[in-house]
Amino acid sequence: MSVMRQKMADSIRFLAADMVQAANSGHPGAPMGLADIAVVLSEHLNHNPKNPEWLNRDRLVFSGGHATGLIYSLYYLWGYGLEIEDLKNFRQLDSLTPGHPEFGHTKGIEITTGPLGQGVANAVGFSMASKFVANQVNSETAALIDHNVYCLCGDGDLEEGLSYEACSIAGHNKLDNLILIYDSNKITIEGSTELSISENIRMRFESQGWDVLEIDGHDFEEIDTAIATAKANTKPTIIIANTLIAKGAGKLEGSHHAHGAPLGDDVIKEAKIKAGFDASKTFHVDADVMARFRVAIEEGDLCEREWNHRQKTLPLMEQNEALTALQNPDFSRIDYPVFEKAEATRGTNGKIMNAIARGIPSFLGGSADLSPSNKTNLNDMGIFPKGRNIYFGIREHAMASITNAMALYGPLMPFSATFFVFSDYLKPAARIAALTGIQQFFIWTHDSIGVGEDGPTHQPIEHLSQFRALPNFYVWRPADGAENIEAWKTALTMTKSPSAFVCSRQNLAVLPHAVRGEASQGGYLLSSDEGATITLMASGSEVALALKVKETLNAKDVAVNVVSVPCYDLFIEQDASYMKSIIKENTKTVAIEAARGLEWYRLADTVIAMDTFGASAPAGQLFEKFGFSVDSIIKKIN
């Protein structure tokens, strides 16, 4: 058995080395160091290459996303549809084997990784999702959801602060199906990890409520025993696997020079000869090795068929109905509130979220210790893992990375929440959500200088521009409760894009003449005059201000149109005819927004925005100070 395992591991090593060598780019070290672990993990992993979306499959996350030589070798060997030609086209334009793994691009990839630490938090998210779904659909005598979540990570992942946040949450929630395999090769790009880190990883994880196992990462029996032990544990487990980077690569074995550069033809040739392989062959896998790996197809298909049979034969009628309800949200069941008085949009948003939660059982989430301020508590919905309120603590980055994975798990629609200014802490996860096409709902309140007395450290200025610049990311800044509802109705249908709801701290008036249906196009003509010479455009709290400016100008016989733009990103996607119907030709176009506002120059002749940070004072005084008053705006227009 050990002889065959060794041959299987060496086959992975040389596929990875050949891929990097052919591309003249990539990372051979980690794949070669992890090959022995990958072989044994293959024997434990429950997955079905015929159906990568089977709900009860084990999830495998590669947090070290640069180790794609390992990733694609495994998916080729397991039978997920990759061919040798795909491996030969590693890192090439339009190939199925890009430099880092991308969800939706290569079959079997669970989530897009690469930025270090993200995958660790994603694995925590998959585990948390499984625990919530299990609580909804498992019975006391039978389980529909009982899979494990594995994550391969390295030294760099554990140095990132994100991993501290995520692993703390995992230990607190006793995620016993989470198994973190730490490739402890003690090497980073710059050299030995001794240059930058000296903490005791065992003590760190034990203090966070994890079980810690330590093994020789090249001893097949130790690897096997550790994984079996971790699967039986009652708490999350980290397996510290002591490995050699570029194991088997001769003079480059154990060297940081093997991390991110091709090994060279001579080194690969010598390594193959030493391992008993034919050095004249590249991208080659012997038939006996292929047969051993490809049993994943039959075993996985059998595993899924047994699961399907279990659903039909065990007393799980109610559980099946619960699962169906999670997987098939019926938006017609949402009874949206009616808003008739001035209210902060953080308040209207919270009421809307509660209405959604009552109608949609898969809607859940939480805030980074700010639910009373964000207004995101789901009333009478309980606490995770049985209920739908997740307490993330003050861990913004982990929160957003976790909810990314929860959204990709299958039947869930998660949200995360914090103050808008603290979206800085989770920007990498928001970017991954946009890149991957994850329908996560970001709730960001306290949206502008309207924060008031907390001052410039808490007043987001550049943030709207930053997130509007992000492709496939839709920022909603509603002007009142009615727009807030339309924003949610649209966002719920956008299944391949994240949406952010940027909401006010201060009360906003109910807008007159609101054209509720047209908010789905991002912007609409809220109030218009025949023969208008000026078009005022605004979002959020500045829409009511634009209406007051119009009223004053109307008294001076100046005809004005007001355009509300709750979602700038969606608005600029509309066709030319729609845009011309909203922004009338031959009008002076003025954009008003209490933010940096750089993107408005695409649409407006004049932009009235922030060009400094804010200040500490009551909100009303700040709007006056920074030029967001009727008189000040009229002066700037003239």
Side-chain angles (χ1 to χ4, degrees):
M1 183 65 173
S2 60
V3 173
M4 176 52 69
R5 280 174 167 172
Q6 187 64 57
K7 186 176 181 181
M8 294 167 72
D10 287 335
S11 296
I12 292 173
R13 289 189 173 97
F14 298 135
L15 279 178
D18 287 343
M19 289 165 65
V20 174
Q21 193 66 29
N24 196 30
S25 169
H27 304 77
M32 297 182 78
L34 280 165
D36 300 314
I37 291 170
V39 168
V40 180
L41 183 59
S42 295
E43 299 167 9
H44 286 269
L45 198 67
N46 289 324
H47 62 121
N48 184 3
K50 286 186 178 180
N51 180 17
E53 296 182 359
W54 171 39
L55 182 60
N56 200 43
R57 69 189 181 277
D58 288 342
R59 303 307 197 273
L60 176 57
V61 179
F62 300 90
S63 191
H66 58 276
T68 37
L70 171 71
I71 299 167
Y72 300 140
S73 294
L74 285 173
Y75 284 112
Y76 161 67
L77 293 166
W78 285 335
Y80 274 86
L82 289 179
E83 303 295 342
I84 280 292
E85 286 303 312
D86 297 311
L87 303 191
K88 290 180 178 179
N89 284 319
F90 179 53
R91 286 180 161 240
Q92 304 308 301
L93 183 64
D94 296 329
S95 75
L96 290 175
T97 50
H100 287 82
E102 300 175 22
F103 172 81
H105 184 85
T106 309
K107 191 178 294 185
I109 299 298
E110 296 287 1
I111 195 163
T112 300
T113 55
L116 291 178
Q118 286 280 338
V120 174
N122 297 151
V124 174
F126 283 130
S127 177
M128 289 178 67
S130 73
K131 293 301 183 183
F132 175 79
V133 176
N135 272 292
Q136 310 309 307
V137 305
N138 289 357
S139 70
E140 293 183 0
T141 58
L144 279 177
I145 303 299
D146 58 359
H147 64 81
N148 292 308
V149 178
Y150 297 91
C151 178
L152 294 171
C153 76
D155 297 289
D157 290 295
L158 295 191
E159 288 184 10
E160 289 284 357
L162 171 58
S163 68
Y164 283 82
E165 295 182 14
C167 292
S168 176
I169 293 173
H172 176 74
N173 285 289
K174 299 179 174 59
L175 302 179
D176 59 357
N177 68 338
L178 176 61
I179 302 170
L180 184 63
I181 301 174
Y182 167 33
D183 177 24
S184 181
N185 59 33
K186 301 176 179 62
I187 292 292
T188 62
I189 292 174
E190 294 179 334
S192 169
T193 54
E194 292 179 356
L195 295 169
S196 59
I197 186 171
S198 55
E199 69 188 66
N200 187 314
I201 297 296
R202 171 181 287 277
M203 292 176 66
R204 167 184 159 185
F205 275 84
E206 286 177 344
S207 73
Q208 290 184 316
W210 289 60
D211 189 31
V212 181
L213 307 174
E214 189 161 1
I215 62 170
D216 176 351
H218 302 301
D219 184 309
F220 295 113
E221 295 304 321
E222 286 192 28
I223 299 166
D224 192 20
T225 299
I227 294 176
T229 300
K231 288 163 65 175
N233 271 345
T234 57
K235 60 175 72 172
T237 301
I238 179 172
I239 300 172
I240 301 174
N242 295 297
T243 63
L244 279 170
I245 193 171
K247 172 71 171 174
K251 65 182 180 181
L252 288 177
E253 183 178 275
S255 169
H256 71 278
H257 294 294
H259 169 80
L263 300 176
D265 289 327
D266 291 342
V267 171
I268 296 173
K269 180 179 179 181
E270 291 173 8
K272 288 181 178 179
I273 292 172
K274 185 175 180 180
F277 279 58
D278 186 342
S280 67
K281 295 180 179 180
T282 60
F283 295 97
H284 177 75
V285 179
D286 281 348
D288 56 346
V289 169
M290 183 64 80
R292 287 292 186 121
F293 277 112
R294 286 287 166 97
V295 298
I297 297 175
E298 292 182 1
E299 290 180 349
D301 190 49
L302 176 61
C303 197
E304 182 178 357
R305 284 190 281 118
E306 288 177 343
W307 184 76
N308 291 331
H309 181 67
R310 190 192 321 171
Q311 287 181 273
K312 296 175 182 177
T313 57
L314 292 174
L316 286 170
M317 184 67 72
E318 291 184 3
Q319 285 70 33
N320 276 312
E321 290 177 358
L323 181 59
T324 299
L326 288 174
Q327 293 174 317
N328 300 281
D330 181 0
F331 299 139
S332 69
R333 296 184 58 196
I334 302 172
D335 183 13
Y336 287 102
V338 176
F339 301 107
E340 297 178 338
K341 64 179 182 179
E343 187 172 354
T345 47
R346 63 169 173 163
T348 61
N349 196 66
K351 292 174 182 176
I352 294 166
M353 291 174 66
N354 270 273
I356 294 170
R358 287 191 293 271
I360 307 299
S362 55
F363 187 75
L364 79 165
S367 173
D369 196 49
L370 287 170
S371 58
S373 292
N374 294 149
K375 307 298 183 185
T376 53
N377 187 67
L378 302 179
N379 300 325
D380 304 317
M381 294 286 178
I383 299 173
F384 175 88
K386 294 183 178 180
R388 289 195 260 165
N389 289 290
I390 303 173
Y391 288 87
F392 288 107
I394 308 167
R395 305 181 182 99
E396 292 87 357
H397 197 174
M399 171 182 69
S401 300
I402 285 168
T403 42
N404 274 347
M406 294 181 80
L408 288 186
Y409 179 78
L412 300 179
M413 302 180 71
F415 69 85
S416 61
T418 188
F419 287 169
F420 192 23
V421 76
F422 299 142
S423 62
D424 286 337
Y425 285 123
L426 57 78
K427 169 61 164 54
R431 185 177 188 274
I432 290 293
L435 172 66
T436 307
I438 298 173
Q439 190 189 37
Q440 183 186 163
F441 304 107
F442 295 89
I443 315 301
W444 295 331
T445 68
H446 297 57
D447 69 337
S448 69
I449 55 173
V451 169
E453 292 85 347
D454 277 345
T457 62
H458 282 54
Q459 293 166 4
I461 299 302
E462 74 280 15
H463 298 66
L464 282 169
S465 295
Q466 172 179 262
F467 285 101
R468 285 170 177 163
L470 194 58
N472 193 41
F473 194 94
Y474 294 86
V475 180
W476 294 89
R477 189 174 183 237
D480 70 354
E483 276 194 0
N484 210 161
I485 289 172
E486 295 307 318
W488 272 103
K489 286 181 177 178
T490 303
L492 287 170
T493 68
M494 301 171 74
T495 58
K496 300 296 182 182
S497 304
S499 295
F501 297 86
V502 178
C503 301
S504 73
R505 174 181 183 262
Q506 73 276 22
N507 287 342
L508 304 184
V510 175
L511 298 181
H513 318 302
V515 186
R516 302 190 180 193
E518 295 187 18
S520 62
Q521 293 172 287
Y524 62 93
L525 196 57
L526 175 64
S527 181
S528 61
D529 294 335
E530 187 175 348
T533 58
I534 296 173
T535 296
L536 302 177
M537 308 177 69
S539 75
S541 54
E542 287 72 70
V543 174
L545 176 59
L547 288 172
K548 291 179 181 178
V549 172
K550 169 182 164 57
E551 183 181 345
T552 301
L553 289 173
N554 284 168
K556 299 178 181 180
D557 295 325
V558 179
V560 178
N561 290 343
V562 174
V563 176
S564 179
V565 187
C567 186
Y568 175 92
D569 317 274
L570 194 55
F571 187 51
I572 61 174
E573 291 180 0
Q574 303 308 309
D575 59 33
S577 62
Y578 181 78
M579 296 294 281
K580 286 181 180 179
S581 72
I582 303 302
I583 305 174
K584 303 295 185 182
E585 293 182 349
N586 303 317
T587 64
K588 181 177 183 178
T589 307
V590 180
I592 308 168
E593 197 167 62
R596 198 72 179 95
L598 299 177
E599 63 276 16
W600 286 106
Y601 287 100
R602 175 171 178 169
L603 302 174
D605 303 307
T606 300
V607 177
I608 300 171
M610 295 289 295
D611 56 12
T612 68
F613 293 101
S616 176
Q621 294 178 24
L622 293 177
F623 280 106
E624 185 75 31
K625 172 182 173 61
F626 290 107
F628 296 96
S629 66
V630 172
D631 290 343
S632 180
I633 289 171
I634 289 175
K635 286 178 183 178
K636 291 178 182 178
I637 292 174
N638 294 332

